[in-house]
Structures are given as C-alpha cells and as structure tokens.
C-alpha cells in the first residue's frame, strides 16, 4: 500500500491510499486534476473518497469528484453544505459505524471540531490498520492494534502566543483555533496513551502554516514515541506495510 499526500494544510487536504488495483481517497480539498496525476490517470481504480467534514480545505472539490464517477462518503451535513443531491455517487456515513469500500474497511469516529467531523479507522489486507484524525482539539478514543497513524499536530501554544504578542495573529483567532484544532502537546499525550507496539510510523497532518514548526514537532514526537515520524506535506510518498522490516 502506498500513501500519497497531495495536501495537508489550510490550502487543501487530500491523501490517497493505493495499491496497484485499487485506491481510496481521503479528503477532497484539492482539484481532481491533481488526484488524476497522483493516480497516473488510473481513476477507474478509485473505490471511494472519505471526507471528514464540510470545510473547503477538506471538501471544496466534492462535486468534481462526483462528476468523475467517484463515490463520496461523508456525513449528511457535508452534502447539505455543498448542495449535493446526486444520490448515485453519494453515501452518507455516521459516527460509530462501519463501511466496506472495495478492499477497504472504514470505521468512523466522531471528533471535536466546530462542525460535525469524523475520524477514520481504515483497514486493508495490504497495510493492516490505519488511524486518520484531523481537525479536532482532542481524541477521546484509543484504537488498538494500529499499524499506521495519521494524526493532527496543528499548532504549538508558545508559537501561537508569540505571534499574538507580536501583533502577527489577532487575539480573536486563539479561541477558535484552540477549540477546534490539536495542539502539539495533545498530539503527544494521545500517542503516549496509545499502544504503539505494532505502529510502523506516525505521520503528522494539518500543521498550521504559521503556528507550527516541522522540525520541532518531528523531534518531539520521536522523543516520546520512538517511532519514525513524518510531516504530511504535498508530494510525500510512503510505503505502508504491515511488516516494515
């Protein structure tokens, strides 16, 4: 299984899990043309696209995906917000439910954002079990037997406060950010409180463009987990295997 990151920030989020035969897209925050390039134009192998929530950096291009015959899995609020009535390529999903899409099994987890938002536990015989969590201030669930983790590490309190003190970020931004996105210490706490014995790598997603630090976040997460750590940036490719060695 290969992971392709097409975007993982406020400019647009999109990730592809793909084998030679099938692919699952997570998020629709980038144009379909970019998705087609990453798939080497083999769009017919896409079995579906799972969308976490309605904000444009995650869902702006849903209609374009549907127009290309891709079944979109999302909370009903997403389809309502985007004015989508096409039933042929729309599949409503709900918290604490399981879905089968091609060779992928998807279980949904509710998370804490300012609109309804879902995290995903995704299983496939070629990669084992993957956790995908973005756009939340916390995660109250712990998922056992994971092989791969994609987890938000959006900002650091000290970086944000320094920007506010310098007048570079308005104070009014702080409550919205702290109540809807994950601070690096929360990310580390979740990982330390999780069973990482079977985890091959940790990918930090949705870093703030101005309130994070890639090198620091990678270093700090490595220190508390002892695992290989990556930051999801456009162009990142990783091989996701159950057995890395």
């Amino acid at each position: 299984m290969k992971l392709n990151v097409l975007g993982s920030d406020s400019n647009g989020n999109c990730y592809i899990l793909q084998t030679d035969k099938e692919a699952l897209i997570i998020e629709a925050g980038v144009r379909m043309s970019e998705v087609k390039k990453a798939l080497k134009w083999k769009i017919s192998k896409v079995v579906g696209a799972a969308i976490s929530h309605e904000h444009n950096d995650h869902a702006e291009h849903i209609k374009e995906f549907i127009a290309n015959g891709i079944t979109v899995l999302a909370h009903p609020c997403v389809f309502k917000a985007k004015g989508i009535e096409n039933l042929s390529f729309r599949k409503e999903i709900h918290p604490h439910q399981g879905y089968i899409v091609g060779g992928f099994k998807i279980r949904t987890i509710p998370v804490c954002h300012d609109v309804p938002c879902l995290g995903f536990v995704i299983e496939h015989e070629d990669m084992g079990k993957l956790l995908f969590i973005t756009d939340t201030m916390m995660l109250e669930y712990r998922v056992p037997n994971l092989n791969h983790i994609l987890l938000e590490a959006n900002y650091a309190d000290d970086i944000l406060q320094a920007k506010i003190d310098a007048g570079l970020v308005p104070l009014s931004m702080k409550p919205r950010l702290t109540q809807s996105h994950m601070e690096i210490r929360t990310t580390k706490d979740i990982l330390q409180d999780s069973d990482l014995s079977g985890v091959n790598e940790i990918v930090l997603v949705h870093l703030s463009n101005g309130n994070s630090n890639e090198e620091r976040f990678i270093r700090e997460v490595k220190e508390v987990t002892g695992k290989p750590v990556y930051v999801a940036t456009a162009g990142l490719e990783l091989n996701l295997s159950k057995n890395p060695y």
Side-chain angles (χ1 to χ4, degrees):
M1 181 73 68
K2 182 168 69 174
L3 167 69
N4 294 91
V5 178
L6 307 190
S8 186
D9 56 29
S10 58
N11 294 318
N13 295 265
C14 187
Y15 314 81
I16 302 176
L17 298 172
Q18 62 174 313
T19 67
D20 292 337
K21 296 180 179 179
E22 61 182 351
L24 175 71
I25 302 169
I26 307 172
E27 310 290 45
V30 305
R31 295 186 178 279
M32 195 67 218
S33 58
E34 296 302 311
V35 174
K36 289 178 178 178
K37 289 178 186 176
L39 292 167
K40 294 182 169 53
W41 287 271
K42 297 177 182 178
I43 191 172
S44 61
K45 73 177 187 177
V46 178
V47 295
I51 312 302
S52 64
H53 65 290
E54 67 191 59
H55 289 155
N56 273 346
D57 56 329
H58 298 261
E60 182 175 3
H61 301 285
I62 280 184
K63 289 185 177 180
E64 197 177 349
F65 281 36
I66 289 176
N68 279 270
I70 295 173
T71 298
V72 172
L73 295 83
H75 190 282
C77 290
V78 176
F79 295 120
K80 182 178 180 181
K82 301 306 177 189
I84 295 172
E85 299 178 355
N86 186 330
L87 298 179
S88 299
F89 298 102
R90 183 182 79 176
K91 184 173 182 60
E92 295 184 354
I93 59 176
H94 302 272
H96 300 300
Q97 299 293 318
Y99 305 88
I100 295 177
V101 187
F104 296 89
K105 296 178 181 179
I106 304 173
R107 182 158 57 90
T108 55
I109 299 175
V111 296
C112 303
H113 198 40
D114 52 6
V115 297
C117 187
L118 297 172
F120 303 116
V121 179
I122 303 171
E123 295 185 66
H124 191 283
E125 64 178 3
D126 283 4
M127 71 171 184
K129 186 185 291 187
L130 177 148
L131 177 67
F132 175 84
I133 300 292
T134 189
D135 286 57
T136 182
M137 63 179 289
M138 59 174 288
L139 180 66
E140 59 181 308
Y141 306 96
R142 299 295 179 265
V143 181
N145 304 317
L146 290 171
N147 301 108
H148 318 280
I149 296 177
L150 278 69
L151 181 63
E152 183 176 57
N154 186 259
Y155 70 101
D157 271 332
D158 59 312
I159 297 176
L160 173 61
Q161 190 59 52
K163 292 288 182 70
I164 292 172
D165 293 344
L168 301 175
V169 173
L171 180 60
S172 59
M173 179 181 173
K174 186 172 184 178
R176 193 265 170 184
L177 186 63
T178 58
Q179 294 172 25
S180 62
H181 288 283
M182 195 175 292
E183 203 266 342
I184 183 61
R185 287 175 299 179
T186 304
T187 304
K188 292 189 292 182
D189 287 346
I190 290 168
L191 292 167
Q192 286 183 291
D193 193 37
S194 299
D195 177 8
L196 303 179
S197 58
V199 172
N200 298 339
E201 73 287 304
I202 296 163
V203 182
L204 305 178
V205 305
H206 208 278
L207 273 67
S208 166
N209 290 333
N211 301 308
S212 65
N213 181 299
E214 288 188 18
E215 292 184 1
R216 169 184 160 184
F217 284 14
I218 289 174
R219 182 182 69 253
E220 291 186 3
V221 173
K222 277 185 177 178
E223 288 173 354
V224 300
T225 65
K227 298 291 181 177
V229 180
Y230 305 88
V231 166
T233 54
L236 177 68
E237 292 188 9
L238 289 177
N239 289 317
L240 303 185
S241 169
K242 294 181 193 176
N243 305 303
Y245 306 113

